[in-house]
Amino acid sequence: MIDTPRLVDQYCHGVLRTELGLGTFETHLAPAAALPAAGTTFFDTQTGFAVRRWCPPLLGLEPHCPPARYLARRRELGAAESARRLLRASGIAAYLVDTGLPGDLTGPAELAVTGAAAAHEIVRLELLAQRVADVSGTVEAFLADLAEAVHGAAAGAVAFLSAAALRGGLAAAPEPPWPGEVRGAAGRWLAGRGAGGALDDPVLLRHLLWIAIGSGRPLQLYVGERDPSGLAGFATATGGLGADLVLLHGYPYHRQAARLAGHFPHVYADLGPVVARTGARAAGVLAEFLELAPFGKLLFSSGARGLPELHVVAASVFRGALARVLGEWVGDGAWSRTDAQRVADMLAEGNARRVYGLA
């Protein structure tokens, strides 16, 4: 039996503080907030089935109980107590929290208390740049303040995150832009953005990423449902500079992410949401990761946002998939039990603690 008692969730968000009705709850079961097709429900997905398998017993119900019954029990306990029970049963010992999304979500400190775990902040670079732009009057002030803000944030953040890396022209131009290019791009963006406008200029995005690389903090690159192969040039350019790159999500391009992690010493691949979204097929997807990337380059995460149930599902499905895959290899005699346990510990928490410098 492979034991994975502790997990480091290397990428997640806070949980909602509010009570949820059936319709609102199930929108959070989809990868992006949306409404199901008429006459259907997002409970009829791998994620929905996994919630019904793993979460009801933590709230005093039988596994696979109907969604309406589960949500009635959730309302009976209250959002805060439900979150406390679910998170504390997940086995997650540390959360790395992306604080850059809107909504009534708990921050790292509140998540830590609710889950009886450690929590650390991940800073979104694009949002940081927008905040700097809101208070900088000139191009020169903006660029100086931006560099200062990134290096200041590095003192308290465990990592930086870019959600627009693949849209920032990195495939065509992975190297740092020239100072003149940066000043010109900053002037155009500041003049045309309006109050609170999103950072969408590819030159400024590249400049921002390279400032983050200079901080030495790990840089998480959100891949989403895109092929990450276009980041190979950026990985080449950043090699040996002391900052690790972590490719977030990536399904159904997880094989490409694993290949990049296997090719570049400072590139890592994210496991959690990919495994959680595939549900009963998670063991097969995890085995594909382990075929292509060194075991020290893979990190668990939940990617959970809003629902504490998603933390539980990611952790439970990951543990089950890991036990199934490694247990089969031990049973076949391909691996020793000692090696299997060591690899399980690496994927569950050891790699994340090393990459992010966690105690």
Side-chain angles (χ1 to χ4, degrees), residues 171-209:
E175 303 286 345
W178 292 101
E181 290 182 89
V182 175
R183 285 193 295 272
R188 292 189 298 273
W189 181 63
L190 291 172
R193 68 185 289 266
L199 177 57
D200 55 5
D201 183 275
V203 173
L204 277 184
L205 284 169
R206 282 165 50 213
H207 176 65
L208 185 58
L209 291 175

Side-chain angles (χ1 to χ4, degrees), residues 39 195 238 250 254 278 318 335:
T238 55
H254 56 289
T278 51
F318 172 74
W335 285 32

Side-chain angles (χ1 to χ4, degrees), residues 14-110:
V15 299
L16 289 164
R17 301 183 180 94
T18 52
E19 302 289 349
L20 300 176
L22 179 61
T24 306
F25 184 95
E26 73 167 293
T27 61
H28 290 276
L29 298 177
L35 295 176
T40 70
T41 170
F42 285 143
F43 272 102
D44 286 336
T45 60
Q46 291 283 12
T47 303
F49 273 34
V51 166
R52 292 175 54 215
R53 161 63 181 89
W54 296 106
C55 297
L58 303 180
L59 302 188
L61 300 172
E62 72 279 6
H64 307 294
C65 73
R69 185 178 179 199
Y70 175 75
L71 292 178
R73 174 59 173 164
R74 203 179 189 272
R75 287 191 296 272
E76 178 185 337
L77 292 171
E81 176 61 16
S82 297
R84 189 188 70 82
R85 293 190 184 193
L86 291 163
L87 292 179
R88 294 189 180 195
S90 70
I92 296 173
Y95 299 93
L96 277 57
V97 186
D98 173 5
T99 58
L101 292 183
D104 185 25
L105 301 173
T106 56
E110 190 175 350

Side-chain angles (χ1 to χ4, degrees), residues 3-303:
D3 183 27
T4 53
R6 289 161 53 90
L7 297 169
V8 170
D9 189 346
Q10 68 108 24
Y11 178 75
C12 67
H13 307 275
V15 299
L16 289 164
R17 301 183 180 94
T18 52
E19 302 289 349
L20 300 176
L22 179 61
T24 306
F25 184 95
E26 73 167 293
T27 61
H28 290 276
L29 298 177
L35 295 176
T40 70
T41 170
F42 285 143
F43 272 102
D44 286 336
T45 60
Q46 291 283 12
T47 303
F49 273 34
V51 166
R52 292 175 54 215
R53 161 63 181 89
W54 296 106
C55 297
L58 303 180
L59 302 188
L61 300 172
E62 72 279 6
H64 307 294
C65 73
R69 185 178 179 199
Y70 175 75
L71 292 178
R73 174 59 173 164
R74 203 179 189 272
R75 287 191 296 272
E76 178 185 337
L77 292 171
E81 176 61 16
S82 297
R84 189 188 70 82
R85 293 190 184 193
L86 291 163
L87 292 179
R88 294 189 180 195
S90 70
I92 296 173
Y95 299 93
L96 277 57
V97 186
D98 173 5
T99 58
L101 292 183
D104 185 25
L105 301 173
T106 56
E110 190 175 350
L111 192 64
V113 171
T114 304
H120 310 271
E121 184 179 15
I122 300 167
V123 172
R124 283 202 175 213
L125 289 169
E126 292 87 354
L127 183 59
L128 183 64
Q130 291 167 219
R131 290 172 177 167
V132 171
D134 287 339
V135 297
S136 299
T138 66
V139 169
E140 290 73 17
F142 167 69
L143 294 176
D145 293 345
L146 183 61
E148 182 178 348
V150 172
H151 288 287
V158 75
F160 289 111
L161 164 71
S162 172
L166 285 175
R167 301 195 301 273
L170 287 179
E175 303 286 345
W178 292 101
E181 290 182 89
V182 175
R183 285 193 295 272
R188 292 189 298 273
W189 181 63
L190 291 172
R193 68 185 289 266
L199 177 57
D200 55 5
D201 183 275
V203 173
L204 277 184
L205 284 169
R206 282 165 50 213
H207 176 65
L208 185 58
L209 291 175
W210 277 99
I211 297 175
I213 290 294
S215 76
R217 287 293 188 193
L219 175 58
Q220 298 181 341
L221 301 174
Y222 183 83
V223 176
E225 297 179 357
R226 297 174 179 230
D227 186 346
S229 300
L231 295 173
F234 186 63
T236 299
T238 55
L241 299 182
D244 291 323
L245 307 179
V246 182
L247 306 179
L248 293 180
H249 300 15
Y251 188 75
Y253 295 101
H254 56 289
R255 296 182 70 89
Q256 289 86 338
R259 286 193 187 98
L260 286 176
H263 187 73
F264 295 98
H266 66 304
V267 175
Y268 294 79
D270 179 42
L271 292 172
V274 173
V275 172
R277 293 289 177 190
T278 51
R281 276 280 300 137
V285 176
L286 179 60
E288 291 181 356
F289 270 110
L290 296 174
E291 291 172 7
L292 295 165
F295 311 136
K297 307 299 290 298
L298 301 172
L299 308 171
F300 165 78
S301 79
S302 69

